[in-house]
């Protein structure tokens, strides 16, 4: 005899509630946390982990950016060590993990945050663009996590993977980015299932647009000034985009609670449910939205967002404030 659907649903909801109540939160006090990325969301996450008592190791390629981030964090009382390295280089990845073990005697939390973003029509994207972004957004988290696993196993540690709503719903003019974020979301799910028996918890977060100031570092193709103006403006619109501090707090809370996968931001959750419940309608609406975006050009050349600033983007007060607050200048 089949159980009534309502009874099954109630039992499932009860199990979820019991799990959340009975499972102890992960205490970050004194824990060593390795974070990739020293600006934008990486810096916001570093501040949040530090505020919860963690000791930090910050990794990035640019030594000047690392120095500025470290100075800002130390000024607020953070314990921090920095190391420069290229996350697409296996030798650098191994050196980074060895440094974490040397400085802090091990590793408790790994935060895979560093990433690239490319903006523009699919027609202007090359296969090289897809390969480049897959290396840093998907393969780098895989390689770094595998290299760090012995340390994480030893301390029954945690892994935080920063994906995106673009890793659940493919957004027009972000094709390589969406492909890479779908890949890293799948990686997070696979790691979660396979590492649980070894005592390592994995949390994947999929945020909405955030006011991190990172738009100026995006690679822009097609009608570059128009593409960047649209992207940078949406990234810094009140009510539409998330405050970076709030986003970072929600991400760290998800890790502490041991969540498997969390949409960060109400609009991310709404779009995720729309895709799950009505994929055809969602696809049609996205296709309609694509018709309103700037068309392709005959060139596949790219420029950084900072190189195609306009008065509209340059004078956006939210954008300027985020760039100053999160080491994006």
């Amino acid at each position: 005899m089949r159980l009534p659907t309502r009874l099954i649903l109630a039992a499932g909801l009860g199990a979820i509630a019991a799990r959340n109540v009975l499972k102890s939160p992960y205490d970050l006090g004194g824990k060593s946390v390795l974070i990739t990325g020293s600006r934008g969301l990486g810096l916001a996450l570093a501040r949040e982990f530090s505020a919860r008592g963690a000791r930090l190791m910050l990794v990035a390629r640019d030594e000047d950016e690392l120095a500025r981030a470290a100075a800002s964090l130390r000024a607020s009382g953070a314990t921090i060590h920095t190391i420069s390295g290229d996350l697409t280089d296996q030798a650098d990845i191994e050196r980074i993990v060895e440094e974490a073990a040397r400085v802090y005697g091990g590793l408790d939390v790994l935060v895979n945050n560093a990433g690239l973003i490319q903006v523009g029509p699919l027609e202007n994207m090359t296969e090289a663009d897809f390969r480049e972004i897959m290396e840093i957004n998907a393969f780098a988290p895989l390689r770094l996590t595998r290299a760090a696993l012995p340390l994480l196993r030893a301390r029954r540690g945690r892994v935080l993977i920063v994906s995106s709503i673009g890793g659940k719903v493919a957004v027009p003019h972000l094709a390589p980015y969406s492909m890479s974020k779908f890949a890293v979301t799948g990686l997070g799910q696979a790691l979660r299932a396979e590492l649980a028996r070894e005592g390592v918890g994995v949390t994947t977060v999929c945020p909405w647009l955030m006011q991190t100031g990172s738009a100026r570092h995006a690679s822009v193709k097609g009608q570059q000034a128009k593409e960047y103006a649209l992207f940078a403006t949406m990234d810094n619109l009140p009510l539409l985009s998330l405050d970076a501090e709030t986003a970072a707090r929600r991400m760290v809370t998800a890790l502490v609670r041991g969540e498997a996968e969390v949409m960060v931001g109400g609009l991310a959750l709404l779009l995720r449910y729309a895709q799950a419940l009505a994929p055809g309608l969602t696809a049609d609406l996205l296709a309609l939205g694509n018709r309103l975006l700037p068309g392709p050009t005959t060139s596949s050349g790219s420029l950084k967002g900072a190189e195609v600033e306009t008065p509209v983007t340059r004078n956006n007060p939210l954008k300027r404030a985020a760039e100053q607050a999160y080491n994006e200048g």
Side-chain angles (χ1 to χ4, degrees):
M1 189 171 102
R2 292 187 178 181
L3 290 172
T5 303
R6 289 181 182 178
L7 181 59
I8 295 173
L9 180 59
L13 292 173
I16 292 171
R19 175 187 178 277
N20 291 336
V21 169
L22 297 175
K23 192 168 184 178
S24 299
Y26 186 74
D27 183 9
L28 288 170
K31 296 292 196 297
S32 58
V33 180
L34 191 160
I35 302 172
T36 63
S38 60
R39 52 181 171 80
L41 181 60
L43 182 53
L45 286 167
R47 289 172 179 161
E48 182 64 24
F49 275 107
S50 177
R52 300 193 191 205
R55 300 173 297 162
L56 308 174
M57 174 173 281
L58 217 54
V59 177
R61 286 179 294 186
D62 190 305
E63 293 186 3
D64 291 337
E65 287 178 357
L66 273 172
R68 289 196 301 270
S72 169
L73 289 161
R74 289 191 182 108
S76 61
T79 299
I80 179 169
H81 181 80
T82 63
I83 180 169
S84 61
D86 182 351
L87 294 173
T88 65
D89 185 314
Q90 186 63 33
D92 273 11
I93 284 176
E94 292 171 4
R95 177 173 57 85
I96 288 164
V97 173
E98 289 169 3
E99 185 83 349
R102 183 186 68 80
V103 173
Y104 292 133
L107 182 64
D108 296 291
V109 179
L110 170 62
V111 180
N112 289 296
N113 163 75
L116 299 177
I117 188 164
Q118 301 156 335
V119 182
L122 176 62
E123 188 171 327
N124 291 126
M125 297 295 177
T126 65
E127 185 174 324
D129 292 323
F130 283 84
R131 291 184 179 277
E132 178 189 29
I133 204 167
M134 285 291 292
E135 279 294 321
I136 189 65
N137 287 10
F139 284 107
L142 169 64
R143 292 171 183 142
L144 185 56
T145 302
R146 293 183 74 169
L149 266 179
L151 300 181
L152 294 168
R153 287 190 190 108
R155 294 194 174 178
R156 300 180 69 82
R158 298 284 174 102
V159 178
L160 180 65
I161 292 180
V162 179
S163 182
S164 165
I165 184 57
K168 286 293 185 178
V169 182
V171 180
H173 286 219
L174 291 172
Y177 179 78
S178 288
M179 177 175 168
S180 69
K181 289 302 187 178
F182 265 77
V184 82
T185 299
L187 173 64
Q189 292 176 2
L191 291 175
R192 171 87 180 190
E194 297 214 24
L195 298 183
R197 68 179 181 182
E198 301 178 47
V200 178
V202 179
T203 296
T204 303
V205 289
C206 299
W208 184 254
L209 295 170
M210 294 173 288
Q211 297 164 22
T212 62
S214 59
R216 62 184 282 108
H217 293 279
S219 173
V220 187
K221 291 194 164 192
Q223 298 183 50
Q224 292 158 329
K226 291 181 180 180
E227 291 281 356
Y228 178 69
L230 181 61
F231 177 64
T233 299
M234 290 183 66
D235 216 30
N236 293 278
L237 274 181
L239 303 180
L240 179 63
S241 57
L242 292 170
D243 171 74
E245 258 184 50
T246 302
R249 184 168 61 252
R250 292 178 184 175
M251 292 176 192
V252 176
T253 297
L255 176 97
V256 166
R257 290 177 176 171
E259 301 286 351
E261 189 175 281
V262 174
M263 302 296 113
V264 181
L267 290 174
L269 190 62
L270 181 63
L271 188 55
R272 173 70 182 97
Y273 280 135
Q275 169 72 13
L277 297 173
L281 177 60
T282 304
D284 289 344
L285 290 173
L286 290 170
L288 179 62
N290 182 61
R291 292 175 180 271
L292 304 176
L293 297 177
T297 63
T298 57
S299 170
S300 61
S302 67
L303 290 173
K304 290 295 182 185
E307 298 177 278
V308 289
E309 292 276 14
T310 65
V312 172
T313 57
R314 192 178 297 112
N315 297 323
N316 183 321
L318 283 178
K319 177 176 174 292
R320 288 205 314 270
E323 289 167 355
Q324 292 169 3
Y326 298 107
N327 197 22
E328 295 282 6

